[in-house]
Amino acid sequence: MTDTADTSPLRIALAGLGTVGVGVIRLLETNRDLVTARAGRPIDVVAVSARERHKDRGVDISACAWEDDMTALAAREDVDIVVELVGGSDGPALALSRAALKAGKGVVTANKAMIAHHGLVLAEMAEGAGAPLKFEAAVAGGIPVVKGLREGTSANALTKVYGILNGTCNYILSEMEATGADFAETLAEAQSLGYAEADPTFDIEGVDAAHKLAILAAIGFGAKVDFAAVTTNGIVQVRAADIAQADALGFVIRLIAEADVQDEGGVPKLLQRVRPCLVAKDHPLASVDGPTNAVVAEGNFSGRLLFQGAGAGDGPTASAVVADLIDIARAETGAPFSIPVAQLAALGPAEPGHRTERTYLRFTVNDRPGVLAEITAAMRDGDVSIESLIQQGRKSDGGEVLVAIVTHEGPEANVRRALDLLEGSDSLTGDPLVLPILPN
């Protein structure tokens, strides 16, 4: 048999020379022989674009052509693949990706926001051009979870995909466990160490995890990407007292992104949500601390699979980018979302109200007679069965106390109904915190 494999260099244009872009160049330099052997051909960066041309980045880019306008990278005849590491769901990153695919060039990106918002359109363009679109680095840093779902579980019908997808939130929550400090103090510490952005909104409100979940759900369930259908609750309301109470009950608190498909009246619907949950200490996700990410996929034949590792950083993310480039060099590509866009299902958003779960509820209330009776009456009228009720001591001279309730398993709609009955009560001094208990 004649070997017709292409052994000419795979020529790369790199847009964005931040920590990840520099990490890609450094990895290709450091592991050049290994990468070439595994790719079957050299992988060369031939052109770059960034904001500042003459900045010292600690890597040699003198042999690379420079483009002030990154979109011009897509038009270069000496480029096979464009690597987009600029970020942002729209703007220059999207313009570059569209231009590259229109020109028949493949795109590798670490941009989860762009894929979550525009992945379907880009995938259609890639399929039409016969060009690869790969985004392993967009989800969970160096963990090969996109490849794991797209290829490793391809023979399975997945029942659920869930996990810890944001390292900033995970660092904050695990540090609150370790130190007993409250949220604001721990967030400030995370910012000082570089684990949280100066504006951490996307992280602490769960938006970053929602972007990643939308991508994983599309691949795992053969569905069209639907970021708008992801319901999101962040960790801002979690107090040190909640962390301590969870510990006393045998749990830790983690921000969990979860997706599954269930029939509703004979019609399959997709549930996607990000929310802080109580996780039993013997659950695989409970031991995931610091800025680590982890994803669990449950298949009907594979059973439970756990993907865990560094969820961000220049090294892990660059590793994922180069892994995609190696696949392209070996002509191992395929549909971006595992199956062709035309065959992806348009699954409507699921209504979770009928689903059953145990729940942790925390109320901040005025310390006065009748408050507990009011809360328990609302639980009764909402048909919520109470497993345990804990009233903690005063939090201030004003008499505010914390009341924590753990419910028996029951429909989510019942908890919502009970909380609606308490809406506007002058006994409550703040919004209740609702933390589902993740099943084992």
Side-chain angles (χ1 to χ4, degrees):
M1 181 179 292
T2 302
D3 185 0
T4 59
D6 187 357
T7 58
S8 63
L10 185 69
R11 302 167 300 176
I12 307 303
L14 180 59
L17 290 173
T19 56
V20 176
V22 169
V24 168
I25 293 174
R26 185 173 290 119
L27 189 158
L28 288 171
E29 290 177 349
T30 303
N31 293 351
R32 176 165 297 279
D33 292 344
L34 179 65
V35 168
T36 299
R38 291 181 173 170
R41 54 196 292 205
I43 297 178
D44 296 336
V45 179
V46 300
V48 295
S49 181
R51 289 179 180 174
E52 299 178 44
R53 181 168 187 170
H54 300 293
K55 179 180 179 180
D56 182 6
R57 298 175 172 88
V59 292
D60 184 9
I61 58 172
S62 59
C64 300
W66 179 275
E67 296 285 359
D68 289 317
D69 177 6
M70 70 175 65
T71 308
L73 295 172
R76 294 185 64 95
E77 293 184 359
D78 61 346
V79 167
D80 303 310
I81 303 295
V82 171
V83 177
E84 184 279 307
L85 300 174
V86 178
S89 61
D90 299 291
L94 181 60
L96 172 61
S97 300
R98 285 178 180 270
L101 293 170
K102 187 175 181 180
K105 303 181 191 299
V107 172
V108 173
T109 181
N111 191 336
K112 68 261 183 184
M114 182 178 71
I115 297 299
H117 287 277
H118 305 289
L120 282 181
V121 171
L122 294 176
E124 285 180 331
M125 292 183 69
E127 291 175 13
L133 169 64
K134 296 181 77 68
F135 42 84
E136 183 66 66
V139 182
I143 308 171
V145 64
V146 170
K147 190 178 183 72
L149 292 186
R150 186 161 48 194
E151 300 175 18
T153 67
S154 59
N156 284 256
L158 296 187
T159 57
K160 192 171 187 179
V161 176
Y162 63 103
I164 296 167
L165 297 178
N166 184 268
T168 298
C169 288
N170 209 54
Y171 174 83
I172 291 171
L173 292 171
S174 54
E175 279 297 295
M176 289 172 69
E177 289 169 21
T179 65
D182 229 321
F183 173 81
E185 180 183 347
T186 310
L187 172 59
E189 178 70 12
Q191 289 172 314
S192 71
L193 294 172
Y195 288 129
E197 302 286 346
D199 180 0
T201 305
F202 265 35
D203 292 315
I204 63 177
E205 296 291 353
V207 177
D208 174 81
H211 283 142
K212 298 169 185 175
L213 180 67
I215 296 169
L216 293 182
I219 296 169
F221 301 110
K224 294 184 177 180
V225 183
D226 190 4
F227 170 73
V230 185
T231 59
T232 306
N233 292 295
I235 64 169
V236 177
Q237 281 188 285
V238 177
R239 297 188 178 188
D242 299 310
I243 299 283
Q245 189 60 64
D247 178 65
L249 293 168
F251 298 93
V252 297
I253 298 177
R254 296 287 183 265
L255 184 70
I256 301 295
E258 58 181 341
D260 66 59
V261 175
Q262 291 190 9
D263 282 348
E264 293 184 8
V267 178
K269 296 292 183 70
L270 176 62
L271 179 70
Q272 303 177 88
R273 56 188 175 185
V274 176
R275 53 186 186 162
C277 297
L278 264 65
V279 180
K281 292 181 179 179
D282 61 352
H283 191 284
L285 295 181
S287 60
V288 179
D289 56 13
T292 306
N293 282 190
V295 177
V296 177
E298 297 183 355
N300 62 339
F301 276 77
S302 65
R304 176 181 285 179
L305 302 174
L306 174 65
F307 304 84
Q308 181 175 337
D314 56 343
T317 308
S319 174
V321 169
V322 175
D324 277 347
L325 292 173
I326 290 172
D327 278 352
I328 293 171
R330 297 190 298 206
E332 296 176 2
T333 54
F337 291 99
S338 185
I339 62 176
V341 171
Q343 297 175 30
L344 293 173
L347 300 177
E351 167 51 53
H354 66 281
R355 301 183 184 218
T356 60
E357 62 187 10
R358 296 170 66 214
T359 307
Y360 168 91
L361 303 168
R362 187 259 293 148
F363 303 89
T364 55
V365 303
N366 291 308
D367 187 14
R368 65 188 187 196
V371 172
L372 287 182
E374 183 180 353
I375 292 174
T376 55
M379 296 297 114
R380 178 201 65 210
D381 294 343
D383 200 19
V384 175
S385 177
I386 297 174
E387 180 180 304
S388 62
L389 185 151
I390 306 101
Q391 179 175 335
Q392 301 175 7
R394 291 187 177 184
K395 294 291 292 180
S396 67
D397 292 338
E400 180 186 85
V401 298
L402 300 184
V403 174
I405 290 175
V406 176
T407 74
H408 285 113
E409 187 170 282
E412 294 183 37
N414 292 8
V415 172
R416 292 207 302 262
R417 187 181 307 120
L419 294 177
D420 286 344
L421 293 172
L422 291 168
E423 183 74 28
S425 170
D426 59 6
S427 297
L428 275 58
T429 61
D431 293 333
L433 175 68
V434 182
L435 300 181
I437 298 177
L438 189 70
N440 267 354

